[in-house]
Amino acid sequence: MKLTLRVWRQSDPQDKGKMVEYKLDDISPDASFLEMLDVLNEKLIADGSEPVAFDHDCREGICGMCSLVINGTPHGPERNTTTCQLHMRKFKDGEVIDVEPWRAKAFPVVKDLVVDRSAFDRIIQSGGYITAPTGTAPEAHSTPVPKPDADAAFEAAECIGCGACVAACPNGSAALFLGAKITHLGLMPQGQPERWDRAVSMLDTHDDEGFGGCTNTGECTVACPKGIGLDVIGRLNGDYLKASAGGKKK
Amino acid sequence: MSDDLYELGDPIADGKVPAGPIEDRWTTRKFEAKQINPANKRKKKIIIIGTGLAGGSAGATLGEAGYHVQQFCFQDSPRRAHSIAAQGGINAAKNYRNDGDSVYRLFYETVKGGDFRSRESNVYRLADISRNIIDQCVAQGVPFAREYGGLLDNRSFGGTQVSRTFYARGQTGQQLLLGAYQALMRQVEAGNVELFPRHEMLDLIMEDGRARGVVVRNLINGEVKNYTADAVVLASGGYGNVYFLSTNAMGSNVTASWRAHRHGALFANPCYTQIHPTCIPVSGDHQSKLTLMSESLRNDGRVWVPKKAKDERRPADIPEDERDYYLERIYPSFGNLVPRDIASRAAKNVCDEGRGVGPGGLGVYLDFSDAIGRLGRDKVEAKYGNLFEMYERITGENPYDTPMRIYPAVHYTMGGLWVDYDLESTVPGLFVIGEANFSDHGANRLGASALMQGLADGYFVLPATINDYIAKNALPPVADTAIAEAQERVNGRIDKLLSIDGDRSVDSFHRELGHIMWEYCGMERTEEGLRKALELIPALREEFWKRVKVTGKGEELNQQLEKAGRVADFLELGELMVIDALHRAESCGGHFRAESQDEEGEAKRDDDAFGYVAAWGWSGEGAKPVLHKETLNFEYVKPTQRSYK
């Protein structure tokens, strides 16, 4: 395949950054999008130029590290797909492809296509867990979980923390990410004691980190590579409201 | 052979295993370990490298115990560690199925599955602790698969006949890792753990022969900094990426372990590589890595190839009586569930006979049509849906309609830094956990045992033994000279890599090394091939240091520089793997020496000559490594020929 890439190049957070055009030919349709960028980088190195910095690791669609806004869409045109699992057979020969980093106030650009997503870790730190000391847990079968709850919790827990929801949202909201964790933990009996405090403190952190408010545009769920549904935002809002009504709000 | 390739060193004792009946040893050890009172723990500092199942669970537990933990990972978040990609499940001897499972059975099968090359005492402890792990993870809210009664579901895995594997669809590693990650984040919030993402350990700080800290590079701005502590824990994973193409994440590397090895930590059984039988075959030379599919697929999928060589018909057009379900034929009692080494080699054999399918004849079918007929498409989808989807995404073929194609690929490394029963390496104060150590899997790891070991080490074993080291040793502040020396080594190496300015990319060297390793030290090894590799690798290494091109500067985010440092270490490790494979003139587990097989082509172990752990010492660049042997004693599980027929 022959391709024209227009890639966002930015040497450091202070640099203004710009789109730079590269031509590639002889790309295998079986290559993944990141493998195509590997080929570009090999070519740049051979030409004595700086390769493009981009984040990736497992290349199996599960670690959540790969990103890239491709032709204006986070993780590219294919639904329920991470960038590493997007294959070039999904593009047309001769196509012009724009490649940009996640754009969001809470995700500053580090270099080229690499952004800083550590705000997500800080949201989890503020309550995205169950307080269970190690070594003293009760027998696993002493806490049955109804199968429908376990399945729904699992589906919410599939969130890979990639941040595509934020990049897709016109407000830069992380409500889908937040809702996924609130839903996962809130559906299980183990997660009940901290449920209300969790909703309040995680949402407070979310706002403090510079993520925007949710206005139900639904772009997040379209961009989510794991197909997390808008219902998790409903649960987030429900828990937050109940917590506020119960006087838990700080 | 010792003359030309290595020196023989002193044997090593089976360190710190208490005497007495095997079921009491861990209790005894925990009781004898010296404790530190909670107020003093706050003053003690522990550094942990890596945040996967082992590192994440260790950080959470040690932080909770009150230690001051500093934890580093090269990814942008601890949640990205490659443990997240484990699909299948985690074993535990809960006997929830009432199928005769027990701690002893899990212990027995793990020792046998590892081809009698692991340490009995460690394996028993692992099997015993496995039960607590499930309790722990359930308490954390890990959403394991449940039955309609609300209790936990189980399935069976390769190499075993009981259902003891707990799972969360095909994403068990992800859910277990997120459990550990969340527990770790809780400790970060509590101020017990200081987290350093996008930092890579590049050297150890050594003083008086002890590990006293690390030198790390901040991958964002290139700053090289040092951190000192009372003890250092490596939880940095395996080294399968030495093969370039493997199922490991792209960043997985051996640098932390290798730097420690160069300071005296013995590297044990480096040649034990697990080749996983159920990976998606290679599609072209652009490929950067291989994708594994959970071997739980073998529970319901049937493996076959055409009976006739070079049969190019579509699978649907090949009638039943012209198919060879070779695993069921050769191994009737285990069938498609034989252990990984057996399944992998059997696939290689049928492909070598010209009966492989797909591009290049390097593939076998994994067929679900019987299961879909028996269970219905919905049930199959509920069990394996995400794996089927992943397969379709990568290959463009729909596995509900046509059989999957699979081929073996490098997956896991059983070798690693040598540790004693306390998980301490031969460098005092340096502990090694999870895949980075060598201890529990012998020459072959059974399915669903890696997650078990990572969490056992991190949640339960290390936290019970590291106290003892810290309590017993006076650990004064580290001298500036020791820190400066370590920092100097790191800066020197970075400068060297940046100054070569050659004409070959880092990846081109990595790919070439990978080819050599796969060709000569892969699924099947011969003396001739291994000797050939020993000519090629040093030459490649020499070329690397003359011709590698590392673009950019040190004081910035520089992914080429990161890779170059890792590949430099792989080039040294690769040679040691080959030497280890060459000296071990027997077949065992993942190490199949063509010269050592029986009349039926099965691996032939030689317990009298090789019933030991091979722990290698570093003796300088270009100098012969020193082999220290730890004799393995089997008091409970007597070595027998493994048979799955």
Side-chain angles (χ1 to χ4, degrees):
Chain A
M1 297 172 78
K2 281 188 194 312
L3 298 168
T4 302
L5 296 178
R6 293 194 304 207
V7 183
W8 183 260
R9 301 301 308 259
Q10 181 175 344
S11 59
D12 57 58
Q14 282 72 46
D15 183 22
K16 257 182 74 191
K18 59 173 192 290
M19 296 295 270
V20 178
E21 196 172 286
Y22 303 101
K23 301 251 185 229
L24 283 176
D25 39 46
D26 211 20
I27 293 292
S28 162
D30 289 329
S32 71
F33 201 86
L34 300 184
E35 286 166 348
M36 181 274 293
L37 289 182
D38 292 341
V39 174
L40 168 68
N41 277 348
E42 283 288 300
K43 189 169 152 289
L44 291 175
I45 294 166
D47 295 348
S49 327
E50 276 257 350
V52 180
F54 61 97
D55 267 333
H56 62 89
D57 202 24
C58 78
R59 298 202 174 188
E60 289 184 25
I62 192 75
C63 78
M65 191 140 170
C66 63
S67 48
L68 308 189
V69 174
I70 300 164
N71 287 338
T73 309
H75 291 302
E78 184 86 345
R79 286 292 292 266
N80 298 330
T81 304
T82 54
T83 302
C84 66
Q85 297 289 286
L86 176 66
H87 286 77
M88 298 316 293
R89 66 177 85 92
K90 304 288 177 184
F91 294 86
K92 288 191 286 291
D93 195 20
E95 199 169 332
V96 180
I97 305 173
D98 285 350
V99 190
E100 296 166 90
W102 282 173
R103 301 275 189 206
K105 188 178 158 212
F107 291 161
V109 173
V110 176
K111 183 178 183 177
D112 295 341
L113 305 168
V114 176
V115 302
D116 177 359
R117 286 170 281 189
S118 54
F120 271 13
D121 288 334
R122 292 187 290 276
I123 291 179
I124 298 295
Q125 282 158 25
S126 66
Y129 48 76
I130 287 170
T131 299
T134 43
T136 56
E139 216 297 317
H141 267 181
S142 63
T143 316
V145 181
K147 183 168 164 55
D149 291 352
D151 287 349
F154 171 82
E155 276 160 24
E158 279 190 282
C159 167
I160 57 174
C162 64
C165 48
V166 178
C169 176
N171 309 326
S173 169
L176 196 72
F177 169 78
L178 193 51
K181 192 47 53 189
I182 294 281
T183 302
H184 162 212
L185 300 175
L187 276 170
M188 308 195 89
Q190 297 90 331
Q192 296 311 310
E194 298 165 289
R195 183 168 165 190
W196 314 110
D197 288 338
R198 179 184 305 125
V200 171
S201 94
M202 286 179 77
L203 195 57
D204 286 351
T205 307
H206 168 274
D207 296 349
D208 293 347
E209 288 288 345
F211 293 101
C214 172
T215 50
N216 289 313
T217 61
E219 295 291 331
C220 52
T221 183
V222 178
C224 176
K226 295 293 153 183
I228 308 273
L230 278 182
D231 56 313
V232 302
I233 299 182
R235 286 190 170 271
L236 163 68
N237 291 335
D239 278 13
Y240 186 75
L241 280 174
K242 279 184 215 155
S244 308
K248 299 272 187 188
K249 192 170 176 192
K250 285 174 202 160
Chain B
M1 198 176 78
S2 66
D3 294 340
D4 68 321
L5 292 172
Y6 62 90
E7 312 274 353
L8 198 58
D10 296 334
I12 39 180
D14 182 359
K16 296 201 189 127
V17 178
I22 198 162
E23 56 274 17
D24 297 336
R25 288 176 192 168
W26 180 228
T27 312
T28 306
R29 178 68 196 116
K30 279 191 288 187
F31 178 72
E32 286 172 353
K34 226 173 146 188
Q35 298 294 314
I36 301 174
N37 92 53
N40 284 339
K41 277 185 185 159
R42 280 195 291 278
K43 299 175 208 151
K44 302 292 182 187
K45 217 158 93 183
I46 298 173
I47 283 172
I48 303 177
I49 305 299
T51 58
L53 284 178
S57 57
T61 308
L62 293 171
E64 174 140 359
Y67 288 106
H68 179 194
V69 176
Q70 291 183 317
Q71 190 146 8
F72 301 82
C73 67
F74 66 75
Q75 299 92 343
D76 73 330
S77 163
R79 67 178 296 149
R80 317 276 188 223
H82 194 54
S83 308
I84 204 157
Q87 295 166 355
I90 178 166
N91 283 334
K94 285 283 202 184
N95 195 28
Y96 284 163
R97 297 296 104 182
N98 194 27
D99 53 9
D101 200 10
S102 62
V103 169
Y104 202 87
R105 186 179 295 276
L106 176 51
F107 155 67
Y108 175 90
E109 290 183 357
T110 307
V111 171
K112 178 183 166 213
D115 230 348
F116 305 94
R117 292 292 174 266
S118 51
R119 208 187 271 153
E120 272 191 337
S121 305
N122 288 53
V123 178
Y124 189 89
R125 174 175 69 188
L126 177 69
D128 196 10
I129 289 175
S130 69
R131 300 173 301 173
N132 302 100
I133 296 172
I134 301 304
D135 298 341
Q136 177 66 33
C137 295
V138 165
Q140 287 172 343
V142 170
F144 283 120
R146 300 257 168 185
E147 298 187 315
Y148 281 98
L151 301 181
L152 294 154
D153 196 6
N154 294 105
R155 59 187 176 197
S156 66
F157 242 71
T160 177
Q161 286 168 315
V162 293
S163 282
R164 64 160 73 98
T165 306
F166 294 78
Y167 66 101
R169 293 212 195 141
Q171 298 166 23
T172 314
Q174 178 195 29
Q175 294 308 321
L176 295 173
L177 182 75
L178 292 180
Y181 158 75
Q182 288 167 196
L184 182 66
M185 289 298 101
R186 177 174 157 245
Q187 294 306 320
V188 171
E189 180 77 354
N192 300 327
V193 175
E194 267 182 276
L195 190 65
F196 298 87
R198 291 204 199 261
H199 279 68
E200 180 165 48
M201 169 181 155
L202 293 179
D203 215 329
L204 268 183
I205 295 172
M206 296 287 297
E207 190 174 51
D208 296 334
R210 292 177 187 283
R212 292 303 309 273
V214 294
V215 178
V216 298
R217 182 167 175 273
N218 177 335
L219 302 181
I220 296 281
N221 57 20
E223 201 182 349
V224 174
K225 289 186 80 170
N226 60 74
Y227 295 86
T228 58
D230 295 286
V232 176
V233 180
L234 297 188
S236 46
Y239 49 86
N241 266 353
V242 68
Y243 289 89
F244 187 73
L245 283 183
S246 81
T247 66
N248 287 210
M250 301 299 285
S252 300
N253 66 84
V254 77
T255 292
S257 294
W258 196 252
R259 298 288 111 195
H261 173 60
R262 291 176 63 122
H263 287 296
L266 300 182
F267 209 116
N269 299 335
C271 81
Y272 289 168
T273 311
Q274 177 163 88
I275 315 281
H276 196 292
T278 54
C279 295
I280 301 178
V282 179
S283 68
D285 51 14
H286 57 271
Q287 205 143 351
S288 59
K289 74 161 279 178
L290 296 171
T291 302
L292 171 141
M293 285 184 304
S294 167
E295 74 172 343
S296 65
L297 291 167
R298 289 199 278 143
N299 276 322
D300 287 301
R302 297 179 69 196
V303 176
W304 64 275
V305 288
K307 281 188 176 160
K308 187 167 89 205
K310 307 258 177 276
D311 189 337
E312 293 193 346
R313 287 176 291 176
R314 294 184 314 142
D317 297 337
I318 301 178
E320 207 49 41
D321 62 352
E322 292 179 43
R323 300 176 177 188
D324 179 13
Y325 295 89
Y326 58 91
L327 289 176
E328 297 168 34
R329 172 173 59 80
I330 311 173
Y331 307 99
S333 58
F334 279 74
N336 296 298
L337 288 174
V338 290
R340 294 175 174 183
D341 57 329
I342 309 251
S344 296
R345 216 166 44 252
K348 180 179 192 294
N349 289 341
V350 295
C351 293
D352 287 350
E353 291 164 17
R355 298 194 289 144
V357 299
L362 294 176
V364 301
Y365 289 126
L366 179 63
D367 193 340
F368 283 84
S369 50
D370 276 12
I372 292 170
R374 188 177 72 247
L375 303 165
R377 189 183 149 134
D378 288 354
K379 281 233 172 78
V380 170
E381 193 170 340
K383 267 175 140 170
Y384 308 113
N386 70 310
L387 299 170
F388 277 43
E389 205 187 296
M390 180 178 82
Y391 180 85
E392 183 169 5
R393 208 178 283 281
I394 293 171
T395 61
E397 292 172 11
N398 176 353
Y400 292 102
D401 301 335
T402 188
M404 292 181 175
R405 289 173 293 109
I406 55 169
Y407 197 67
V410 171
H411 179 52
Y412 188 91
T413 45
M414 283 74 68
L417 293 183
W418 185 91
V419 288
D420 63 21
Y421 191 66
D422 283 357
L423 305 184
E424 190 177 7
S425 73
T426 43
V427 170
L430 181 74
F431 292 77
V432 190
I433 61 178
E435 191 181 352
N437 77 27
F438 87 104
S439 68
D440 295 359
H441 307 300
N444 179 41
R445 177 174 65 75
L446 293 180
S449 288
L451 306 188
M452 177 169 72
Q453 189 219 340
L455 291 180
D457 287 0
Y459 281 135
F460 298 101
V461 182
L462 177 79
T465 60
I466 201 167
N467 303 324
D468 190 62
Y469 171 80
I470 294 175
K472 281 183 181 154
N473 293 286
L475 299 163
V478 186
D480 291 346
T481 47
I483 298 170
E485 277 168 24
Q487 191 125 8
E488 196 44 48
R489 285 194 297 271
V490 168
N491 287 329
R493 192 170 143 92
I494 291 173
D495 292 345
K496 177 86 203 284
L497 286 168
L498 288 167
S499 68
I500 297 168
D501 196 27
D503 58 354
R504 278 189 68 177
S505 71
V506 179
D507 270 355
S508 76
F509 282 101
H510 195 180
R511 244 176 231 278
E512 190 172 337
L513 174 67
H515 279 304
I516 298 170
M517 296 302 293
W518 178 250
E519 187 68 26
Y520 302 113
C521 196
M523 240 188 298
E524 188 172 315
R525 295 117 190 233
T526 63
E527 164 146 12
E528 193 193 351
L530 291 164
R531 292 218 177 255
K532 175 89 181 155
L534 283 183
E535 290 166 20
L536 298 173
I537 297 171
L540 185 65
R541 191 165 58 232
E542 203 175 311
E543 192 180 337
F544 175 88
W545 287 105
K546 282 190 190 133
R547 289 183 58 191
V548 74
K549 172 144 189 107
V550 183
T551 53
K553 308 188 294 281
E555 303 78 27
E556 63 175 352
L557 189 152
N558 186 339
Q559 294 172 329
Q560 292 300 312
L561 178 61
E562 293 167 28
K563 273 200 242 182
R566 296 166 190 167
V567 171
D569 287 335
F570 279 137
L571 283 162
E572 292 180 2
L573 166 73
E575 184 168 351
L576 185 65
M577 289 171 73
V578 172
I579 291 173
D580 186 40
L582 190 51
H583 109 279
R584 190 169 285 275
E586 64 160 351
S587 293
C588 63
H591 169 64
F592 187 81
R593 275 289 291 268
E595 300 90 351
S596 183
Q597 51 183 309
D598 66 17
E599 312 74 52
E600 288 173 309
E602 298 294 334
K604 206 163 111 195
R605 261 193 358 252
D606 183 350
D607 293 328
D608 293 337
F610 295 101
Y612 60 81
V613 172
W616 298 90
W618 172 259
S619 39
E621 268 165 57
K624 293 176 190 172
V626 181
L627 173 62
H628 302 270
K629 298 178 182 177
E630 176 195 334
T631 305
L632 294 166
N633 300 309
F634 294 93
E635 297 168 67
Y636 293 87
V637 189
K638 291 293 167 205
T640 49
Q641 185 64 28
R642 270 166 79 206
S643 171
Y644 293 88
K645 292 197 168 169

